[in-house]
Amino acid sequence: MPIKKSLIVLVLILCFSNIKAQKFELGKVSIAELQEKECPKDPSAVAAILFSKGEVKFVFNKSEGEFGVVSTVKIKIKIYKKEGYDWANKAVRYYIGSNITESISFDEAVTYNLVDGKIEKTKLKSDGVFDEKVNRYWGRKKIAMPNVKEGSIIEYEYILHTNSIGSMRDWDFQASIPVNYSEYTTYVPEYYVYNTNTKGYIYPKMTVIKSPKSIKFSEMQRSDGSGLNGIQSRESYVQSELNYEETKTDYIAENLPAMKEEAYVNNIDNYTASVVQELQMIKYPNKPLKMYSTDWKSVAKRIYDYDDFGGELNKTGYFEDDITKLISGLNSQEEKIAAIFNFVKTNVKWNNFNNYYCNDGVKKAYKDKTGNVAEINLMLTAMLRFVGIDANPVLVSTRDNGIALFPSRTAFNYVIAAIETPQGNVLLDATEKYSLPNILPLRDLNWIGRLIRKDGTSTEVDLMPKEISKVVSNINIVLNSNGTADGKIKRQFVNHKALEFRKENIETAKDTYIEQLEHQNNNIEISDYVRENELDLSKPIVEGFSFKDNKDIEVINGKIYISPMLFLATKENPFKQEVREYPVDFGYPLQNKYNINIEIPDGYIVESMPAAMNIATPENMGSFKFVIANTGNKIQVIITKEINAPIVSADFYEIIKTFYQQMVDKQNEKIVLKKI
C-alpha cells in the first residue's frame, strides 16, 4: 500500500477508535441502564434507541451461481414511559411477488427488567411472532415483545434474505425518539456499483476499506474417453476459485435527536438522516456492463418500457366503442376531457392500491369496474389519446411515500395523467371521485412528478397548485346580555377545500356530522343545518347552520367581553419548535375569509375594540388583514388570512412562526361592551 494511502487509512482508523472502543452488542444490559428513569439528553422522550446496527453482506449462492443479499439488524431500546410501549413492537415487510424471493427471521429477542435489584430476562416466544399477507406483493413479519414495563430494555435481531440486488433497504439513523448510536455497514463485491445518497440534516461519519475476497467451489466437468467398448463419458469435479475485491463502507452517527412532528410537515421521513442506495450498474467479468437507472430520464424511460406500464397504455380495443359513443356530439376539447374524466371516475373504482404499474391490467380493471392507480390513470390517459388529446402519464411519489429525492425506480409509487397545453399542464387523477382537473387529492401534492411522453422523453412536472383554495364564512351574531350568542353561519369551500370537504364529510350521516361539528367548535349548539352543491363539482360546496354559543363570551362586572370570531378563533400557535430544519408545507395556496356582523344587546355600547391590522410576510408568502368598525349597535369585522406559498423554506420558519403568533393574538383580542 502506498505511504500516502496508508496514512489516510490510519487517520480514519484513529478517528473512529474511541467510537469503536465501545461495544454495541446484544445481550449486554447493565443495572445502571435499567435504573435510568429518563433520557439524559431529552427528558421528554418516551423511549430511546440505545443502539441500532445494520449490516448488509453479499453472499454467493453456489447452487444458483449468483449473489444474494443478507441484511442483519440489531436494535436495543430503552422504554421510559407507557407512551413508548409501541417501540416494543416491530414489523418488517418482505416481498412475496414473482421473481424475487425474500424471507424474514427474528432472533435474540429479549425484554429485560429490574426485579428486586436483579436483572430479569423474558425471551420472545412463538405466540409473540406474527406473519401476515399485506397484499399480493408484500408480506409482513411482526413481533410483540413480552413483559414490557416502564424502565424495560428490549433488544432483538432480524435477518432479511433476498435474491434481489436492485436496491438495498434504506437505513434510517434517526427516529421519532432519540438515538444514542447508529451504525450501518455494507460489504459490496466489485461487480455491483450503487448510487449512494444521504438525506436529512445530520451526516454520518463514513469509512471505506477495500479488501480481496475469494470463493472456492466445485464444478462438474465431462470428458470423453475411448475404451474397449468404444467412447465412454466420464464425469469429474474440479475446484474453482472466484477472486474479487470487496468494499466495506461503514456509516456511524451518534447522539441523534428525535424527529418530532410539528404542524405542516409533509412527511417527516423526508428529513430523517438516512442512507439511500440504488443499483447503478453490474459489471461481471467478461460480460458487457449492465446499466440501471442513473438519472431521472433513464428512470422514466425504463418504467415506460415495462409491459405493465407502456404496454398497458397502448391497449385501446376494450374501450373504443364506448368512448366513441361518449364523445359523439361533443366538439370542444374541454367537453371531451370532462366527459372522459367523469366516465372513468364513475365507472372504475379505485381499490386503494398504489403503484405506477398495473396489477391485473387495464382490460380487466375496465371489465371488473375496479383497479389500482395505474390501471385507472393509464386507462384515462389512453382514452384521452384515443380522441386526439395530447395526454401523457406522470410518475408521482405520494406524500406517505416521501419526496422523490434521488433517481430511482422505487422513488415513485403512483401515476396520474397530464394534458399538455400551451397554457401549461392540466393534471388529472381519476382515482378520486371528487377531484377536478388540476384539483388533485392531497396525497398527490408532493413537489415534483415526472411526465413521460410516447417517444420516451420526459420532463419535470410541478405538482404544487397555483390556484388559491378558499373558505369564505359569512357570520351574523346576536349578542345577549346574559353572555350567550345566537348566530347564523354560511360558508363556502372552493377548489382543494371543496375536495377535502366532500371527501371527508359527504358520506358521513348528517346527525353524526353535526355532532362532530359541535364538538370541534367548543360544544356550540347547532340547528337548521343545510348543505348545497354536494355532488355538483363545478360549484363550491356550501353549508349553513344556526348556532347558540354559551362558552365564548364573558360577563365580568357588568361588562361583556367577546372575541369577534367566537369559537372559530385559533387559540394557539401551531408552530412551537424554537428551530425547524425542514420546510413548512401547507399543501396548497389558501385563503380564509370571515365577514362578521355583530349586533350588540340593548343598553350596551362599545367601550373598546381591537385595533385594525394589516401584516404581510416577505416574498408574498402570506398576509393577514383585520378590519373592524362600529356603527350604532352593529360591529362589522372582516378578517382575511392568505397563504400564497404552498411550501415555505425552513429559512423563513421564524418569520412564519411570528406571523402566526400575531394572527393568533389578534383573533383572540376582545371587544369590550359596557352598559349605557
Side-chain angles (χ1 to χ4, degrees):
M1 180 184 292
I3 292 175
K4 187 175 180 181
K5 189 173 181 181
S6 299
L7 287 172
I8 293 171
V9 173
L10 178 60
V11 169
L12 289 172
I13 291 172
L14 289 173
C15 288
F16 286 90
S17 60
N18 290 334
I19 294 175
K20 285 297 189 180
Q22 305 175 57
K23 294 292 184 182
F24 296 97
E25 298 297 337
L26 301 182
K28 296 181 179 180
V29 174
S30 68
I31 290 177
E33 287 177 316
L34 288 166
Q35 287 176 331
E36 196 172 74
K37 299 298 183 184
E38 62 182 30
C39 179
K41 291 184 172 61
D42 184 356
S44 67
V46 298
I49 297 175
L50 303 183
F51 74 78
S52 60
K53 294 178 68 176
E55 184 179 82
V56 177
K57 287 189 172 182
F58 283 66
V59 178
F60 190 75
N61 186 323
K62 295 179 181 179
S63 62
E64 299 291 335
E66 59 185 23
F67 283 94
V69 180
V70 178
S71 301
T72 304
V73 177
K74 299 178 181 181
I75 296 182
K76 181 179 180 182
I77 301 173
K78 169 76 176 183
I79 307 294
Y80 292 109
K81 302 175 183 178
K82 290 180 180 178
E83 294 82 358
Y85 284 3
D86 284 346
W87 283 92
N89 305 317
K90 179 64 179 178
V92 183
R93 65 186 177 91
Y94 60 94
Y95 194 74
I96 57 176
S98 59
N99 302 324
I100 296 175
T101 302
E102 292 191 344
S103 65
I104 290 282
S105 61
F106 279 89
D107 197 9
E108 306 289 334
V110 180
T111 301
Y112 297 88
N113 288 297
L114 195 61
V115 180
D116 298 329
K118 295 182 179 180
I119 297 176
E120 178 187 81
K121 294 173 60 175
T122 308
K123 292 186 177 182
L124 176 70
K125 296 181 180 178
S126 59
D127 60 358
V129 182
F130 309 92
D131 205 344
E132 62 184 15
K133 184 177 180 180
V134 179
N135 56 43
R136 60 181 292 185
Y137 296 105
W138 292 99
R140 183 164 51 204
K141 197 80 168 278
K142 300 194 298 185
I143 59 169
M145 296 296 290
N147 199 24
V148 176
K149 307 172 184 177
E150 291 182 79
S152 295
I153 288 177
I154 63 166
E155 58 181 31
Y156 55 82
E157 171 186 286
Y158 67 85
I159 301 174
L160 168 66
H161 291 265
T162 179
N163 64 349
S164 171
I165 58 171
S167 59
M168 301 183 201
R169 300 285 174 95
D170 296 353
W171 179 261
D172 292 336
F173 296 95
Q174 280 181 286
S176 60
I177 56 176
V179 179
N180 293 356
Y181 178 87
S182 183
E183 180 178 358
Y184 178 59
T185 307
T186 62
Y187 299 83
V188 182
E190 63 181 273
Y191 311 122
Y192 308 108
V193 178
Y194 287 83
N195 280 330
T196 301
N197 297 284
T198 57
K199 62 185 177 74
Y201 299 94
I202 297 174
Y203 300 97
K205 298 174 182 178
M206 183 179 74
T207 57
V208 178
I209 298 174
K210 296 181 182 291
S211 57
K213 295 290 177 181
S214 63
I215 299 171
K216 293 181 180 180
F217 54 94
S218 298
E219 286 185 307
M220 185 179 69
Q221 288 189 349
R222 289 188 175 185
S223 60
D224 294 332
S226 299
L228 293 174
N229 297 320
I231 296 175
Q232 295 177 336
S233 177
R234 296 190 180 94
E235 293 181 352
S236 62
Y237 286 88
V238 297
Q239 292 294 320
S240 297
E241 189 171 20
L242 177 65
N243 297 300
Y244 62 94
E245 185 178 66
E246 180 183 76
T247 300
K248 175 188 176 185
T249 307
D250 201 30
Y251 305 87
I252 293 176
E254 292 187 285
N255 300 320
L256 299 143
M259 293 295 291
K260 294 182 178 179
E261 292 277 5
E262 204 194 13
Y264 303 107
V265 176
N266 176 321
N267 180 338
I268 199 71
D269 289 342
N270 293 325
Y271 316 108
T272 300
S274 308
V275 170
V276 182
Q277 295 171 296
E278 177 81 6
L279 185 63
Q280 178 183 349
M281 73 173 76
I282 297 177
K283 46 178 186 177
Y284 290 133
N286 304 316
K287 290 186 178 181
L289 290 177
K290 188 173 183 180
M291 300 298 298
Y292 288 83
S293 306
T294 55
D295 55 37
W296 286 120
K297 290 184 178 179
S298 60
V299 167
K301 187 176 187 312
R302 188 175 180 85
I303 290 173
Y304 198 93
D305 289 341
Y306 290 165
D307 287 341
D308 46 16
F309 188 92
E312 294 290 328
L313 192 56
N314 291 330
K315 297 175 181 177
T316 62
Y318 64 97
F319 66 68
E320 289 184 1
D321 290 344
D322 292 336
I323 297 303
T324 300
K325 292 176 184 176
L326 178 70
I327 65 166
S328 177
L330 302 181
N331 297 315
S332 72
Q333 178 169 291
E334 289 74 16
E335 289 176 316
K336 294 176 183 178
I337 292 169
I340 293 172
F341 188 40
N342 289 329
F343 178 82
V344 177
K345 287 195 298 178
T346 303
N347 287 281
V348 189
K349 184 180 179 182
W350 181 37
N351 60 16
N352 293 316
F353 284 132
N354 293 344
N355 234 322
Y356 58 70
Y357 56 81
C358 298
N359 288 344
D360 299 316
V362 289
K363 292 176 68 175
K364 190 172 190 307
Y366 190 75
K367 178 183 176 183
D368 295 346
K369 297 185 178 298
T370 183
N372 74 352
V373 166
E375 285 152 353
I376 290 173
N377 284 328
L378 292 181
M379 178 191 303
L380 170 64
T381 305
M383 290 176 177
L384 292 168
R385 286 180 174 181
F386 174 70
V387 300
I389 293 168
D390 185 12
N392 293 295
V394 176
L395 296 169
V396 171
S397 175
T398 57
R399 285 177 165 249
D400 60 2
N401 192 57
I403 298 168
L405 294 170
F406 314 114
S408 165
R409 287 164 294 145
T410 58
F412 301 111
N413 70 324
Y414 203 91
V415 62
I416 61 174
I419 299 168
E420 295 190 79
T421 74
Q423 293 75 36
N425 292 317
V426 178
L427 304 179
L428 305 167
D429 185 350
T431 66
E432 177 53 67
K433 63 182 178 180
Y434 301 123
S435 69
L436 290 166
N438 281 336
I439 305 297
L440 302 173
L442 185 63
R443 60 180 174 269
D444 299 1
L445 307 183
N446 198 26
W447 292 31
I448 298 294
R450 191 94 199 165
L451 181 149
I452 323 176
R453 301 183 184 89
K454 294 179 183 179
D455 60 5
T457 62
S458 65
T459 187
E460 284 188 349
V461 171
D462 185 356
L463 298 170
M464 305 310 290
K466 303 298 182 289
E467 191 172 353
I468 200 162
S469 294
K470 300 179 182 180
V471 180
V472 180
S473 302
N474 295 301
I475 308 168
N476 293 305
I477 301 169
V478 177
L479 292 179
N480 303 311
S481 58
N482 63 355
T484 63
D486 298 294
K488 292 183 177 182
I489 291 181
K490 187 172 186 179
R491 54 186 177 184
Q492 62 176 0
F493 302 81
V494 180
N495 292 339
H496 283 92
K497 279 299 180 182
L499 168 60
E500 289 182 7
F501 186 97
R502 289 183 170 106
K503 184 176 178 181
E504 293 172 7
N505 302 315
I506 281 183
E507 295 179 10
T508 302
K510 184 178 177 181
D511 290 345
T512 302
Y513 174 74
I514 292 172
E515 186 178 335
Q516 292 171 349
L517 196 59
E518 289 176 332
H519 179 69
Q520 291 164 3
N521 290 286
N522 203 18
N523 294 314
I524 58 173
E525 298 175 20
I526 290 177
S527 60
D528 304 323
Y529 182 85
V530 293
R531 191 182 290 167
E532 302 170 24
N533 307 328
E534 281 191 316
L535 300 178
D536 187 349
L537 305 188
S538 65
K539 296 179 181 178
I541 191 162
V542 180
E543 70 172 359
F545 55 87
S546 300
F547 66 85
K548 189 173 188 65
D549 187 350
N550 300 313
K551 296 185 177 182
D552 292 289
I553 304 155
E554 294 178 299
V555 179
I556 303 174
N557 296 326
K559 294 183 179 181
I560 298 175
Y561 297 80
I562 173 179
S563 59
M565 293 179 68
L566 293 178
F567 49 85
L568 295 173
T570 302
K571 302 301 182 185
E572 60 182 31
N573 191 342
F575 301 107
K576 304 186 186 307
Q577 291 178 343
E578 290 299 317
V579 178
R580 176 159 159 166
E581 294 179 319
Y582 30 88
V584 177
D585 189 326
F586 294 105
Y588 43 79
L590 173 65
Q591 181 192 83
N592 286 102
K593 187 170 184 179
Y594 303 87
N595 300 308
I596 304 170
N597 292 293
I598 303 172
E599 182 179 321
I600 66 178
D602 292 338
Y604 282 82
I605 60 172
V606 174
E607 179 180 87
S608 64
M609 297 190 307
M613 175 181 277
N614 187 354
I615 57 175
T617 63
E619 300 189 19
N620 195 33
M621 291 181 293
S623 63
F624 178 75
K625 295 179 182 179
F626 182 98
V627 180
I628 188 167
N630 169 221
T631 304
N633 70 333
K634 300 289 176 62
I635 301 171
Q636 295 83 37
V637 186
I638 301 175
I639 302 171
T640 308
K641 165 195 163 185
E642 286 190 359
I643 297 295
N644 300 311
I647 300 173
V648 176
S649 165
D651 295 338
F652 294 97
Y653 175 69
E654 187 59 37
I655 292 172
I656 287 293
K657 181 179 178 181
T658 302
F659 173 68
Y660 263 77
Q661 190 60 54
Q662 290 176 299
M663 287 196 296
V664 169
D665 291 343
K666 180 57 64 175
Q667 287 181 32
N668 288 282
E669 287 183 11
K670 305 289 187 180
I671 298 170
V672 181
L673 307 177
K674 66 178 182 180
K675 290 183 178 179
I676 299 173

